[in-house]
Amino acid sequence: MPAKKEEAISAFERRRLENIAANNAILRDISSTAAKIIPLPKSQSAKKPRRPPTVRVKREPVDGAAKSEPVRVTRQSSRLAGLDAPPETLKRKAEVEALASGETARQKRMRVAGELKLGDIKVEGRKWDGELGDIFRVGAQPGVRTFTEEDVKETTDKELKELRIRMGGLKLYEKWAVNDIKMVPERIYSMGFHPTEEKPIIFAGDKVGSMGVFDASQSPEVDEDDEEAEYPDPTISAFKMHARTISSFHFHPSDTNAVYTASYDSSIRKLDLEKGVSVDVFAPTDPSETLPISAIDMAATNPNLIFFSSLDGEFGRHDLRTEARDAEIWRLLDHKIGGFSLHPLHPHLFATASLDRTLKIWDLRKITGKGDLRHPALLGEHESRLSVSHASWSSGGQIATSSYDDTIKIYNFTDAGSWSAGQDLSAKQMEPAHRVRHNNQTGRWVTILKPQWQLRPRDGLQKFVIGNMNRFVDVFAADGEQLAQLDGEGITAVPAVAHFHPSLDWVAGGTASGKLCLWM
């Protein structure tokens, strides 16, 4: 009996199977690195033999019943078949043509002549209070830079110029090409750097719940004497962590052995790197209840409290030492909360970005209302022309938001530590200090662009990164000045999910094809 042929598997699945034995070792190594510096053992990736080119063979038709089978008649319309329309249809058509034969129909066919002012020809009932450029936008232009070397050379401020030169000097990772570093099988939705400074360890989550882990300190082993040897693939650990999109990662500074992940599948999980075990730390007690989690955050001063937002407009606070049913959940909005963040120094304050086009600031020190209307005190809000995707709070007190009105707005709340509980912020206080024009029109196939601050910058300078639709990653300072536009050879997709290492100038970008761009 002939041997049964092996089922074909994808390249990603084959790589996962080849590296499965190394996964637990890598996780243990990450755990050890967080506690003590231990050099990473060299990768033992197997060398793959060179494959012969595929030869396409033209198949001849096979004699037999299939060949002699009569051609089936396909359906086609009466018009294509040359048949007359039914009498009822002709009658209705004649009635319509008769109504259109009057003076009104002739006026509709006349062209409009003369000079036109848009304000004069605005269609009644349609609100429009912006510039034409706000509506007619130029789309993405891959490879076209919006920040160049000339911008750096023309900088007159000495300190700003030095910072631009330093950030612009970051180079794309060279050990493997971008197309070889496929971290997850589907589109990357979230990323995170492990806080260790000993080596770059990047986490990525995709839209189907897979998590990839890449240690960028590894080096490929190539036998230079073997001309037939192929360049080995990087070792990437991949895990199916959730049933749906992984929306957020978090690494608490006091517990570097743990990785928290949140998902649209309504759960938050904690991965123990040392044990290689992932457990649920929060999920609705009723299996039929859905709570798609859009973001998570934790206060640096308390490793037992985790905060989360949902696509249904809810915000929650959960003590990890208690049961999930004891979590406090408040409905803040009737629209999706795309992202939120706690104030790093004053975690009783948090900011939300929503589909209702607003940035809102809330205070957990004062809970108001009763029953379903109970929620933290709303201190102030600022409305944008279109939806706001994310609100990221820096350790310096600034909030950066991205919006579909093609702006990045930077708000200055350096005095937040002096706010009293439940204090009302004026409209003037809620006005952004800086507005930066930025194409945020990601469309359907690119993950939403969100600004991410460097949490604990070693140089003390507040800066954030955000993806660029022209296939770059942009770096901005807290005053809205652009510092760099990161690029490199082989980037064929938008690195939409951009992330800063917490303290070092390492930047990661994730693409819709699940691949990693890394600058160091």
Side-chain angles (χ1 to χ4, degrees), residues 32-48:
S32 300
T33 302
K36 183 179 180 182
I37 302 172
I38 298 178
L40 180 74
K42 292 184 177 180
S43 170
Q44 300 296 324
S45 299
K47 297 169 187 168
K48 297 184 293 185

Side-chain angles (χ1 to χ4, degrees), residues 311-379:
L311 299 182
D312 296 330
E314 294 167 311
F315 181 82
R317 175 173 62 186
H318 176 53
D319 190 325
L320 299 175
R321 297 165 295 187
T322 65
E323 299 293 330
R325 61 175 173 268
D326 298 325
E328 298 174 279
I329 301 177
W330 304 284
R331 177 169 290 280
L332 302 184
L333 301 162
D334 293 328
H335 296 79
K336 163 187 171 182
I337 298 177
F340 87 97
S341 63
L342 303 176
H343 192 301
L345 303 181
H346 310 288
H348 53 269
L349 301 173
F350 67 96
T352 59
S354 174
L355 193 63
D356 71 352
R357 304 179 297 173
T358 64
L359 160 73
K360 288 184 169 69
I361 298 180
W362 311 80
D363 192 341
L364 287 162
R365 293 175 299 179
K366 185 177 181 181
I367 308 298
T368 62
K370 295 182 179 180
D372 293 339
L373 299 179
R374 184 175 170 81
H375 59 76
L378 176 62
L379 304 187

Side-chain angles (χ1 to χ4, degrees), residues 82-386:
L83 301 177
D84 292 334
E88 296 81 0
T89 303
L90 294 174
K91 182 179 179 181
R92 286 195 299 270
K93 181 179 179 182
E95 291 173 351
V96 171
E97 289 176 347
L99 290 173
S101 61
E103 185 66 21
T104 303
R106 285 195 295 272
Q107 291 174 350
K108 288 182 179 180
R109 289 194 295 269
M110 291 175 63
R111 70 180 180 88
V112 179
E115 183 178 282
L116 303 175
K117 293 184 179 180
L118 298 183
D120 297 336
I121 61 172
K122 180 172 71 73
V123 177
E124 293 299 323
R126 302 296 181 184
K127 183 179 180 181
W128 173 58
D129 55 3
E131 298 293 332
L132 185 61
D134 292 336
I135 300 173
F136 187 80
R137 301 184 182 89
V138 177
Q141 298 175 293
V144 177
R145 299 184 66 89
T146 55
F147 182 79
T148 66
E149 292 182 2
E150 291 300 317
D151 294 306
V152 178
K153 292 178 181 177
E154 294 174 2
T155 305
T156 56
D157 186 291
K158 183 179 178 181
E159 292 184 0
L160 176 59
K161 188 172 184 177
E162 289 177 352
L163 183 57
R164 282 177 165 172
I165 292 173
R166 177 162 64 86
M167 295 307 302
L170 298 181
K171 300 298 182 184
L172 189 66
Y173 186 71
E174 295 180 344
K175 292 182 181 179
W176 279 278
V178 171
N179 282 337
D180 293 332
I181 314 175
K182 187 171 176 65
M183 293 197 63
V184 284
E186 297 291 340
R187 185 198 312 180
I188 293 178
Y189 267 72
S190 56
M191 300 194 78
F193 266 102
H194 190 279
T196 179
E197 296 184 352
E198 305 309 319
K199 54 187 178 182
I201 300 171
I202 304 100
F203 290 73
D206 72 4
K207 71 174 187 178
V208 296
S210 300
M211 182 188 76
V213 187
F214 177 60
D215 177 0
S217 70
Q218 62 182 283
S219 297
E221 288 189 351
V222 181
D223 188 351
E224 297 180 357
D225 297 329
D226 186 357
E227 296 181 356
E228 297 296 322
E230 286 195 356
Y231 203 78
D233 290 334
T235 300
I236 300 173
S237 300
F239 309 90
K240 181 70 173 176
M241 298 290 293
H242 292 272
R244 293 185 62 196
T245 300
I246 296 178
S247 57
S248 187
F249 284 91
H250 188 80
F251 304 83
H252 197 277
S254 69
D255 186 7
T256 55
N257 197 46
V259 181
Y260 294 90
T261 57
S263 171
Y264 291 173
D265 68 6
S266 307
S267 71
I268 301 173
R269 302 188 67 87
K270 177 183 177 181
L271 171 64
D272 188 313
L273 294 173
E274 183 177 11
K275 297 178 180 177
V277 175
S278 172
V279 296
D280 269 323
V281 295
F282 174 81
T285 53
D286 183 356
S288 64
E289 183 182 354
T290 59
L291 187 68
I293 297 172
S294 58
I296 54 174
D297 203 353
M298 301 178 78
T301 55
N302 192 339
N304 296 312
L305 282 180
I306 194 162
F307 302 83
F308 56 90
S309 61
S310 83
L311 299 182
D312 296 330
E314 294 167 311
F315 181 82
R317 175 173 62 186
H318 176 53
D319 190 325
L320 299 175
R321 297 165 295 187
T322 65
E323 299 293 330
R325 61 175 173 268
D326 298 325
E328 298 174 279
I329 301 177
W330 304 284
R331 177 169 290 280
L332 302 184
L333 301 162
D334 293 328
H335 296 79
K336 163 187 171 182
I337 298 177
F340 87 97
S341 63
L342 303 176
H343 192 301
L345 303 181
H346 310 288
H348 53 269
L349 301 173
F350 67 96
T352 59
S354 174
L355 193 63
D356 71 352
R357 304 179 297 173
T358 64
L359 160 73
K360 288 184 169 69
I361 298 180
W362 311 80
D363 192 341
L364 287 162
R365 293 175 299 179
K366 185 177 181 181
I367 308 298
T368 62
K370 295 182 179 180
D372 293 339
L373 299 179
R374 184 175 170 81
H375 59 76
L378 176 62
L379 304 187
E381 65 179 273
H382 180 263
E383 184 173 343
S384 295
R385 192 170 57 81
L386 295 173

